[in-house]
Every structure is written in C-alpha cells, then in structure tokens.
Amino acid sequence: MSLDKATVAKIAHLARIKVPDSDLEQLAGELSTIMTWVEMLGEVDTQGIEPMTSVVAANLRRRPDAVTDGGYPEKVVANATDATENFFSVPKVVE
Amino acid sequence: MTKLTHLTMADALAGLAAKEFTAVELTQAHLDAMAATKELNAYIIETPDAALKQAADADARYAKGGQRALDGLPLGIKDLFCTEGVQTTAASHILDGFVPPYESTVTTQLFRDGAVMLGKLNLDEFAMGSANITSHYGPVISPWSPKDAAGNFTRKLVPGGSSGGSAAAVAARLALGATGTDTGGSIRQPASFVGIVGIKPTYGRCSRWGIVAFASSLDQAGPMTRTVKDAALMLRSMAGYDPKDSTSIDVPVPDYAAALTGDIRGLRVGIPKEYRVDGMPAEIERLWQQGIEWLKAAGATPVEISLPHTKYALPAYYIVAPAEASSNLARYDGVRFGLRVEGKDLKEMYENTRAEGFGAEVKRRIMIGTYVLSAGYYDAYYLKAQKVRARIAEDFTKAYEQCDVILTPTAPSAAFGIGEKMDDPIAMYLNDVFTVPANLAGLPGLSVPAGLSGEGLPLGLQVLGRPFDEATVLKVGHVIEQAAGPQPLPPLVS
C-alpha cells in the first residue's frame, strides 16, 4: 500500500503531530515501505479465526466498586507545566 | 580476590552475609566504575546518594542478621520504570522534567527485597528500537567496541535495544544486574549482543504498573544479569500478582533458583524448522547446532517442530505494536506532564509539543498505528494482524504437544556498528525476527550466552517455554550456560 503526501498529512493531523510540508514526501516513502511489507499478512488464511485481543484469560477480575485511592490533587498536578489551583491549565478553547 | 564489580549476585550475597565486604563498599565500587566509563552512556541519571543510603540500610540489616533476598545488591533500573522522586524519561524529550510521584510495582518489590538502585539506564526512546540509537540522550556504546592503542574507539558497536543501557551496564560491570522490558525482544536481543543473560517472563508474570507503556498487550518486564542463577534470583523478586495491573496473573511464584538442577533428562526440545531463515549466517546456524548437541549430551531429546506462521510474526507485530503505541502515547500532549511547546490554540499546542517531543522512530510508529486504526483501514490491517496473531499463538500451542521447550538463536546476527542498518527501518526490524513470536504469544523466553562470532562478538541462544514455565526455561538455560563454559570479558572491562 503506497501512501501519498495527502494521506500522510491526514494521519499526522489525526496523530496531532505537526509535520512540515517539506518532510511529507520522505515520510510518505518510509511509511509506504512499511505498509507494503506488512501486506504479506494477506497470504495467511484467517477464515473463521477470532482476533486475538489478549494473551491472558478473557474475563477481567471484578472488585467492589469502592474508592481505594486518591485525595492528593497536588500530587496529581505536580508534573503539569501549568497547574492553577490543582487544575490542569490549557490555552483558551472557548471564545 | 575478585573485584567487587565482577561478582555474580549470588556470590555478592554470600560475601555480604559472610561480612567479607559491606553493601556500601559494593555500591561504592560500582559508583566508581560508573564514573570511569561515562563514554558508554549507559546511565541517563545516576543516583549515588540514594544508592549509598540504601546500601547503608542493607548493612544495618546484615549487622542484625535479618537480611532480605537481594539485600545490598546494586542494580541499574531501565529508565522506563517510574521511580518515586527520581526523573523518569523513557529516553524521550517529551518527558522532560517528569518526576513520578509513585514507584513502579517491579521496583517496589526489588527495594522491598533490599536491592540498591545505582541510577536509571539508557534505552531506545519509549523502548522503540533494536540498537539503542533512538534515545534522546544519545546512543549507548557496547563495552565490546574495539579501541586502538591510544584508547579511541575504532568502531562503536551497538549494545542492542531497546534495553541497551541495561545490557551495556551489566556487561561492563556497572551493575550486578538490571531491569529490562521486552515488547518484541528488547531484553533478549541486547542480552545476546553483549553476552549476558536476559529473560522475558510470561505475559502477566510481572506487573506492568508504573512502567511507561509502549504496547500494552506485549510489554513485559524481566531481569538482565550475568548468570542464569542471578536471573532466577532477580525474577523471583520482580514477579508476582499485582491488583493494580488488570493483566497480572495470580499464580504462585516458584523458587526459580531451586529449579536449576542441571537435570533435563527426557526433556523434549523443539527445533522449529521455520527459524532456518534465508541468509542466516553460517556461524549462527553452527551455534544453534552446538546448542542442540549440548542439550542432547545432557539427556534431552531434540524434536523437529513446525511453527508455520513464523514469517508473519514481524509484520503482524509491526501493526499491533504501533497501533497500541499510538493509543498509549496519546497521553503526551503537554498538559499533564513533561514538555509543552506553546501554540496559538490548544490544538496547535498539542501538535507542536508532539512534533518537538517525539523522535523520528517514535513518530513513524505513532503514524503507522494511527493509520492502521483509522476508519476504513481497521479491518484490513489491525483486525487482520490480530487474527494472524491468533494463528501464531496457535502454532505454539500445537508445538507444545510435541515438546517442552523450544531452542532457537536469539538474533540473526552479532552486534553491528552504530550507523549501520539505519537507512531501512525494515532491516532494523529484522533484528527481532526470532524474538517477536514469543511476545505475540505471551510466552517466556530466555537468552543465554553460548559463544562468540567469527569477529569475537557474543552470540546468544534463546529458550522458549510454556506459559508460566519460566522454571524449565531457566533450567535449560543453565545447562547451556554450563556447557558453554566461562565466556570472555568485554575488551573494555578489566
């Protein structure tokens, strides 16, 4: 599968990574090489095979629905660039 | 007397218990060795003060006779494990300044058992790589790299990756052992490249809690040590059920060291014919044959087995792992931790932060992952890869009806030079051709040094086992280790 520049630009946008236009061509080449290589999976007969989503038992353990942790907001925001009154602050979103 | 830095963990424990030296002396010897070998770039950050404090605490326990399983043993911690109050980078610019307010479960257990942390070890950025060349903190140099008479490197060899700092530190005697993580071979391949032992346990054996996530259905922590017995000792501390990791399995952790009996009579050793890949160097083939002969001589029975979907493991991995990575790495957005690069609005702040914070290989994988999970391609790529993964796992289930363990080479070559294999990402990915299947199937796998290449570089053999049968894997690895005999020291170690 060959990826063109427009597709790479779209993926970069979805991944929220700024990619300068000048880099799109090379990146398209690299990603195309990988996507062409993985095409060989098409040779495998997977008729009736369930996709493997986990290597461990499918049933997750249950536990009582109780609060077992928390109560330290200052620790939670300790690594934030911009924490005001124990909130994570971001550039203004709503005008 | 053997230099303190050259002791095995088992011998160091005996020496500490016999009061031949103190934990502070043992730790200081390692700190001195680290100071003298900065050129390897094995550690991202050293924590000498905390290490000496932990060592003094261990000495106090020895004085009272109440020592713990790993008491006073100086270890290196891969900088993918969150350590409370100590910078954790995952070797990425995007985690600049991140100081975890919590401790990973694995390191918590190592410290519970008395281990001393010397510092945080270099790795490929977010553990994505097979040569430790993608680190924001620069490449790690293998202690096997040759030097000229003036002391300058004539060729800088990679230590393998992603746990390259762990591998280099253990081989260069800058730690008695180290933690590693293995998503596609990141413990076993570097162990093979520098001539040490590394085991990736069964998925679910060690808690992933507090380990920076790469691909959650594949990631597993394990020990990297200089002997199989040391791996057994260290794994016992690292392993165990953890309610904080929903994929952690609640099964007892055996005394792995007790399993190293040398008795493998009657054990059936599977030799997968599909691992004889085209273009495999003759010396790797010879090493493999030698391994088969050693196990036969010890009373095991080689059995030819078939793992028909082997060639599809790498391409399946390079869909599943990037897909999970693209999701896991979505959290690095400049809001809650690490780097923030401002923009004109929130979206541009995200895009700028991630463009500057991630390196080229990480970006490539995030984008592959984003693509295979995007509308219109999910079924064709991601779902297909998960179905192929099921067939690969099924291959192993069938194979284990005929055999108890599987023997393969660890990697298709010895270590290569920094700067080689860099142009083509797929050539780099092929390093993991023999190790990736065990991650996809969740099986335990060990790499053990088995000899040297024609160039005089270490080569490892891989032993794979049944789920949760690390004990047998270690037992077989121990037999190979004994048969191979003492291995030479890296040239940079005296």
Side-chain angles (χ1 to χ4, degrees), chain B residues 122-184:
Chain B
N122 208 339
L123 65 151
D124 277 302
E125 185 180 2
F126 283 108
M128 297 181 192
S130 306
N132 213 129
I133 52 170
T134 71
S135 168
H136 177 63
Y137 297 90
V140 176
I141 297 167
S142 168
W144 287 86
S145 304
K147 278 186 166 181
D148 61 20
N152 299 313
F153 286 112
T154 52
R155 188 179 177 215
K156 288 180 178 172
L157 295 169
V158 304
S162 67
S163 309
S166 303
V170 174
R173 276 64 184 167
L174 309 179
L176 291 182
T179 60
T181 62
D182 190 316
T183 304

Side-chain angles (χ1 to χ4, degrees), chain B residues 122-373:
Chain B
N122 208 339
L123 65 151
D124 277 302
E125 185 180 2
F126 283 108
M128 297 181 192
S130 306
N132 213 129
I133 52 170
T134 71
S135 168
H136 177 63
Y137 297 90
V140 176
I141 297 167
S142 168
W144 287 86
S145 304
K147 278 186 166 181
D148 61 20
N152 299 313
F153 286 112
T154 52
R155 188 179 177 215
K156 288 180 178 172
L157 295 169
V158 304
S162 67
S163 309
S166 303
V170 174
R173 276 64 184 167
L174 309 179
L176 291 182
T179 60
T181 62
D182 190 316
T183 304
S186 283
I187 286 175
R188 292 161 287 159
Q189 182 256 17
S192 176
F193 275 18
V194 303
I196 64 166
V197 175
I199 180 167
K200 179 199 91 74
T202 312
Y203 184 83
R205 181 60 102 177
C206 291
S207 170
R208 292 179 298 107
W209 194 84
I211 301 174
V212 175
F214 163 13
S216 302
S217 79
L218 302 160
D219 298 342
Q220 194 42 211
M224 300 174 75
T225 58
R226 292 195 289 265
T227 67
V228 173
K229 185 172 182 191
D230 287 358
L233 294 172
M234 200 170 152
L235 178 58
R236 195 180 185 195
S237 278
M238 293 171 69
Y241 169 63
D242 177 13
K244 289 191 281 198
D245 174 358
S246 63
T247 61
S248 164
I249 306 289
D250 193 1
V251 291
V253 177
D255 180 352
Y256 295 116
L260 310 181
T261 58
D263 184 2
I264 56 163
R265 284 172 299 174
L267 202 77
R268 297 164 305 165
V269 181
I271 311 298
K273 59 179 185 194
E274 290 81 5
Y275 278 56
R276 293 211 158 76
V277 293
D278 290 344
M280 185 157 84
E283 60 190 15
I284 303 281
E285 174 75 45
R286 265 200 304 279
L287 182 87
W288 193 9
Q289 197 54 45
Q290 177 67 72
I292 296 169
E293 297 304 325
W294 283 333
L295 296 180
K296 237 161 98 174
T301 311
V303 185
E304 187 181 85
I305 57 163
S306 176
L307 299 167
H309 296 91
T310 296
K311 74 179 261 208
Y312 303 107
L314 262 189
Y317 174 85
Y318 275 98
I319 290 178
V320 172
E324 294 184 12
S326 73
S327 170
N328 274 328
L329 272 59
R331 73 191 66 176
Y332 303 104
D333 57 6
V335 175
R336 288 163 297 161
F337 32 65
L339 183 74
R340 175 187 286 198
V341 181
E342 300 296 347
K344 67 177 181 332
D345 55 17
L346 180 63
K347 202 179 103 224
E348 198 181 83
M349 188 273 278
Y350 290 154
E351 292 186 339
N352 289 345
T353 299
R354 291 164 64 81
E356 190 170 321
F358 292 132
E361 178 64 22
V362 172
K363 283 182 196 166
R364 197 148 54 208
R365 294 201 199 186
I366 290 175
M367 291 181 68
I368 290 283
T370 303
Y371 181 62
V372 300
L373 291 175

Side-chain angles (χ1 to χ4, degrees), chain A residues 30 43-46 79 89, chain B residues 99 312 340 364 384 391:
Chain A
E30 289 169 6
E43 298 164 16
V44 183
D45 179 8
T46 51
N79 278 287
S89 306
Chain B
V99 178
Y312 303 107
R340 175 187 286 198
R364 197 148 54 208
K384 179 74 184 182
R391 300 225 63 175

Side-chain angles (χ1 to χ4, degrees), chain B residues 54-71:
Chain B
Q54 284 179 315
D57 291 348
D59 281 332
R61 288 188 291 267
Y62 276 104
K64 287 191 210 142
Q67 65 266 27
R68 303 169 182 178
L70 304 176
D71 224 352

